[in-house]
Amino acid sequence: MAAPSPTDQQSGSFLGRLSLPERRFVADALRTETVGGVLLLVAAVAALLWANVPAVSESYASVRSFHIGPASLGLDLSLQHWAADGLLAVFFFVAGIELKRELVAGDLRDAKAAALPVIAAVSGMAVPALVYVLVNTFGSGSMDGWAVPTATDIAFALAVLAVIGTSLPSALRAFLLTLAVVDDLFAILIIAVFFTSEIGFLALGGAVVGLVLFWFLLRRGVRGWYVYLPLALVIWGLMYNSGVHATIAGVAMGLMLRCTRKDGESQSPGEHIEHLVRPVSAGLAVPLFALFTAGVSLSDESLGQVFTRPETLGVVLGLVVGKTVGIFGGTWLAARFTKAELNEDLAWPDVLAVASLAGIGFTVSLLIGELAFTGDAVLTDEVKAAVLMGSLIAAVIASVMLKLRNRRYRALTDAEERDDDLDGIPDIYEEHNPEYHLRMAKIYEDRAAEHRRKAENAAATALENTAGSTARGDRPA
């Protein structure tokens, strides 16, 4: 996928128009993520109902704690554990491919273009962590959950967009996607560095050898899912048994795929595999993770503690306040000191709305919450409830802000999609193409000729009607 060139975007403009290839990639990626986000929302609601309806709540706990897997290989895990360590490895595999594509062929390839979203994403992770630390410092709470409010859930955010029907322009959607990609990268680093207690070096060495073999086979051009799928499962199993979170294996393999096209290729191997695996990740892996993870008790007492216990209050404020302040503040400061001007079609409240939307943390936040408070089931469930509450508040605030500008977004989106010459390329990308203007001139000439013919026919019909009326009027009574 070609990176946006300076001529593709509005010169010196932050959140300017994307290049056509980048716009198509973003549209395709977000289409799948939006569908997956709706499924994720359905799964989360189903989990909450299953866990809170008295008649079936006990079965929820029994099902997600049901163990399955070969104990001899150290993989006798509960269904909840399989969802967190197994299914999310697929999610992080796609995230790895997405990050690799952004680094070598997307917006992150250009340091200047990448600076603003990267700074915004880093600020959008640092400030929520700081908010959590401050709340728990003054409230004498546990610092273990500082990383919970740092992640943005792109699927859930896009599900909110789908539900409220907002036509967000492609530049804002791409900005949100880039934020989520950088979030995923740092979330992976946080999980690897801060949530790995004991390391089994023999298993880790085996996983590294497997990854080297995976890379070698890719470079040799070996093809066939029957080669890579068994190898990937072995790498995942070794990584899990090493003590390093198994999702690291997924992102490592994703980063190894080639995401640049060679001559004659319509898609790079990374793009092709991402196209195949993304629906599995968004439509199956992440919703099942939500189903087995989001089911927490929502009694009056537990909901009350969300706003009174420092750990849970820190998570809520981190998502709602920290994310918004961090992303908006980081973006504004970066734009101020890099002299990047905001796209004239948008306004800073649009950036504020997207920053608020990024406060929807779900998948990775729930995962980090489980890792941070392992051994304290009550606090883990309360933190999950805080993630849900914080995400809900952020979604409502963002929805109100986006609705206020929806008419403007609709106009921008219609302009982006308009294709009067029906050549498959939006007209806005052909403004400097002489052939486009010649095609449009021919179209208008044909339309003018058609209207002249219709005018002549209408005039002739009117004349005939007038003559007929006159003839009837001359007849004797």
Side-chain angles (χ1 to χ4, degrees), residues 207-432:
V208 171
V209 170
L211 288 171
V212 171
L213 178 58
F214 190 89
W215 176 86
F216 178 77
L217 293 174
L218 287 173
R219 292 301 172 272
R220 296 293 294 179
V222 176
R223 297 187 177 185
W225 64 268
Y226 46 83
V227 174
Y228 292 102
L229 182 58
L231 179 58
L233 292 175
V234 170
I235 293 171
W236 176 86
L238 290 169
M239 189 70 74
Y240 174 81
N241 281 286
S242 73
V244 178
H245 202 271
T247 54
I248 305 299
V251 74
M253 286 184 280
L255 287 170
M256 290 180 181
L257 293 173
R258 176 169 61 83
C259 292
T260 53
R261 299 180 185 178
K262 293 182 178 180
D263 292 340
E265 287 184 337
S266 59
Q267 283 185 317
S268 67
E271 291 173 316
H272 177 65
I273 294 174
E274 181 185 23
H275 183 74
L276 294 175
V277 179
R278 184 186 288 276
V280 177
S281 170
L284 180 66
V286 175
L288 282 178
F289 168 78
L291 182 64
F292 290 116
T293 304
V296 296
S297 174
L298 296 180
S299 63
D300 293 340
E301 181 181 356
S302 64
L303 289 177
Q305 287 181 338
V306 166
F307 298 100
T308 56
R309 187 161 184 165
E311 294 88 352
T312 52
L313 181 61
V315 170
V316 172
L317 292 179
L319 290 172
V320 177
V321 179
K323 273 288 183 183
T324 304
V325 172
I327 292 174
F328 181 81
T331 303
W332 186 87
L333 289 173
R336 175 71 175 81
F337 290 105
T338 60
K339 298 182 180 179
E341 295 181 0
L342 183 66
N343 178 5
E344 63 182 10
D345 292 326
L346 299 172
W348 282 107
D350 300 314
V351 181
L352 184 65
V354 172
S356 180
L357 190 64
I360 300 175
F362 191 76
T363 307
V364 179
S365 292
L366 292 177
L367 174 61
I368 294 178
E370 286 192 339
L371 297 174
F373 298 105
T374 300
D376 191 337
V378 174
L379 183 54
T380 297
D381 281 350
E382 290 176 352
V383 166
K384 289 180 182 178
V387 170
L388 295 174
M389 185 62 67
S391 298
L392 177 61
I393 295 172
V396 171
I397 293 174
S399 298
V400 172
M401 296 177 69
L402 291 170
K403 275 294 186 183
L404 293 175
R405 293 274 289 172
N406 195 42
R407 182 176 298 178
R408 179 59 177 164
Y409 295 151
R410 176 74 64 183
L412 292 174
T413 302
D414 290 343
E416 287 182 357
E417 297 177 352
R418 186 174 180 179
D419 183 19
D420 286 342
D421 60 343
L422 303 177
D423 66 343
I425 300 175
D427 295 341
I428 199 170
Y429 289 95
E430 298 188 286
E431 293 173 344
H432 303 292

Side-chain angles (χ1 to χ4, degrees), residues 43 82 102 131 147 250 345 359 403 429 448 450:
W82 275 111
E102 287 290 330
V131 168
D345 292 326
K403 275 294 186 183
Y429 289 95
E450 179 65 22

